[in-house]
Every structure is written in C-alpha cells, then in structure tokens.
Amino acid sequence: MPIALGSVRLPILSLSQIPHRNHKPPSVSSPSPPLVLRFRTSRRQNLRYLKSLGITATSPESIAWTLAVIEFLKSKGFSDRHFPRLSSACPTIFSSADVNRTLAPVFAFLVAELSADPDQARELILRCPDLLTASVDYRLRPTLLFLQELGLRSLSSPTNLNAHLLNTPVEKLASKIRFLEGLGLSHQEASKVCARCPAIFGYSVENNLRPKVEYLVREMGRSMEEVKKFPQYFAFSLEKRIKPRHLHLEERGVRIPLQRMLLWSDNRFYGKWE
C-alpha cells in the first residue's frame, strides 16, 4: 500500500484519511482543466486590459500583435494613460502598424533627423498620433526638408503646430505658397509669409485664406503689402475678430495698421476707441 501511494505522490495521510481500496484514484489527466482555465483567464485579462485602453483585439494573433506594440511604446516613454488617446486618434497604430518596419523608423527619424529628445518625440506623437504611421521616406523626411528650406526652426519643439506640420504632405504645403503667388507675391515673398506664420499651412484656401484676402481688399480697402508686413492677419477669425474691429473703427473714421488693430486685447482696443 505505501508503494502504491508513493507512486502517485499523494501527501502523507492519517489512517482515517486513507481512501478505501475500492476508491478510484484521480485520472492522470485531471491536472489539464486547471491549465486550460489559467490560459483562458490570461486571455480574458488581456482583453480586459486592452479594452480599458480603448483598444479592440479578438484573435490570439491580434492580441499578441497589439501587446507587442504597447510594449514597444512603453519602452519609448509612453504609459497606459497615453494609449486611449492614441487608439482613439489613430486606431491603426495597434491593429496594423509593424514595430520594426513602421514604428521604430519613425522614432529613429524624430531623434536622429529632427533632433528631438525622447520626451519631445513622445509629446509630438501625442499631439499628432498619425505621425506613428507616416512614411519616413515619403512623408516625414521630405516635409522636414521643405520646412527647413523655408527657414523654419525649432520644429522639434512639441507644439500642436509642429506635430501637424511634420505630417503634412509637401504638395499641400506648396499649394499655400502658390496661392499667395497668385495674389501677386513673389515666390520668395510668399515663402517668407508662410515661414513667419506657418499656421497658414493648415488653413483651407477656400474656407479661410481666400475669404480673408477678399475682405481685406474689397471691404477694408487694404493691400497685400500689409499682409507681407503682418502675416499673422490670417491667424485671426474673420467673423469674430477682423470684421467686428474693422467695422468698429470704420464707424469712428479711424484707420490703423493691421497689427495694432488685431493684436490688442478687447479691453485695450475698445477702451481706446469707444
């Protein structure tokens, strides 16, 4: 009997605890269910974890893929609190972006060519998550070179403007310069206007730039010469800033430079010309 007990490695029992000889010992395969249970629990935990980050993954392959992306991003300074933002703005980061072929080259570009430190690289990506899936060869590098040729500096500074500029195709940037050239500015003048107010690159020609030019010339009786001196004119709201202040001054027969008209705070502006 002791030999039989030892062969199945049962714990030492008192006589009262020894099972009856007719008692059937547990099947050798009995440890299997707990192993299966542990596997299923782990998968459920992963799904619950990903769901808490706003990420959807179903198959074992997609779960493993997504967890590998998360592990890589954590090695670059991201944390769980950042992932809902990334997954909401650019879901493909976690569903189809390849760590070695897509994500790693972007970080290498930001550090080596943009000269961003790791914190700046992370913050730029948080401001424009689409950067992570952009092509270095066909988007990021050509755009950086284009902006640098215009004279833009400090592009590694993690601002919303810089992050979105880096992800803007060169053709879209060039189209804003061509628009200004069509208004009579030389290529050099148009480039300088955009360099001094790079937010212009993000504005729609038809919904923003053109209406402001038309109001400037037709209603305000001003010329593009003033825009060359004060390109930030395009950064102000036509309906909420430009029109109200122009009409306010026109009613009082006052004409001042655009810079003074638009930069002053409401209290200072309306206090000066009541």
Side-chain angles (χ1 to χ4, degrees), residues 64-74 83 93-95 97-99 103:
W65 181 287
T66 303
L67 292 176
V69 170
I70 289 174
E71 182 180 2
F72 173 78
L73 292 177
K74 284 186 173 182
F83 297 138
I93 292 173
F94 300 99
S95 63
D98 185 271
V99 169
L103 304 184

Side-chain angles (χ1 to χ4, degrees), residues 10 19 75 85 92 119 122 144 192 223 227-228 267 269:
L10 293 176
S75 74
R85 157 71 177 156
T92 56
D119 288 342
R122 182 189 66 242
L144 176 61
K192 187 175 181 180
S223 70
V227 173
K228 287 192 290 185
N267 288 338
F269 178 83

